[in-house]
Amino acid sequence: GSGVFQGSKRQYASFIRTINTRIAQYGLNIDEHQIEDTGQYITFLDIKFCFDHDGNLQTDLHVKETDARSYLYFGSHHPNHVFSSIVYSQCLRLRRIIND
């Protein structure tokens, strides 16, 4: 999950320790967390997201350096609707991920 914590990094560390103390009885533990300043993007799968100074969630597309973006060879013998479907679905994906 993600969220906005208004306080210092020391206060956040104390908050995580308190939460871990309370959820330990259920066998749960928060062992991974990443603290970023407002406006700094964090990557999760193919989405980069951050909270702006107004507290609004901002999202953008994350593309790995190794991504070749080769979905289907154009010279293959697939029906034409398959190619147009790939273009449509990728545009829809971008529209859903990018909010600005």
Side-chain angles (χ1 to χ4, degrees), residues 4-6 11 18-19 24-26 30 32 38 42-44 46 48-49 55 59 68 74 77 79 81 88 92 97:
V4 176
F5 182 84
Q6 295 183 359
Q11 289 171 327
T18 302
I19 295 297
Q25 63 183 338
Y26 304 108
I30 299 173
E32 284 189 31
T38 303
I42 296 175
T43 302
F44 179 73
D46 63 344
K48 295 189 304 185
F49 67 96
T59 58
F74 191 73
H77 297 287
H81 73 273
Y88 176 80
L92 186 62
I97 291 175

Side-chain angles (χ1 to χ4, degrees), residues 5-91:
F5 182 84
Q6 295 183 359
S8 68
K9 291 183 180 184
R10 180 176 286 166
Q11 289 171 327
Y12 180 74
S14 175
F15 171 71
I16 292 295
R17 281 193 301 275
T18 302
I19 295 297
N20 279 336
T21 302
R22 293 183 180 174
I23 64 175
Q25 63 183 338
Y26 304 108
L28 302 172
N29 183 37
I30 299 173
D31 59 352
E32 284 189 31
H33 58 275
Q34 186 172 352
I35 303 170
E36 293 293 340
D37 293 326
T38 303
Q40 297 291 328
Y41 280 95
I42 296 175
T43 302
F44 179 73
L45 299 176
D46 63 344
I47 302 173
K48 295 189 304 185
F49 67 96
C50 74
F51 291 96
D52 64 12
H53 294 286
D54 296 327
N56 298 319
L57 180 64
Q58 300 295 320
T59 58
D60 201 358
L61 180 68
H62 171 70
V63 180
K64 292 183 180 180
E65 297 173 5
T66 57
D67 185 13
R69 292 190 178 172
S70 56
Y71 300 103
L72 188 61
Y73 177 62
F74 191 73
S76 69
H77 297 287
H78 288 81
N80 287 335
H81 73 273
V82 172
F83 295 102
S84 61
S85 176
I86 291 173
V87 172
Y88 176 80
S89 63
Q90 289 302 307
C91 289

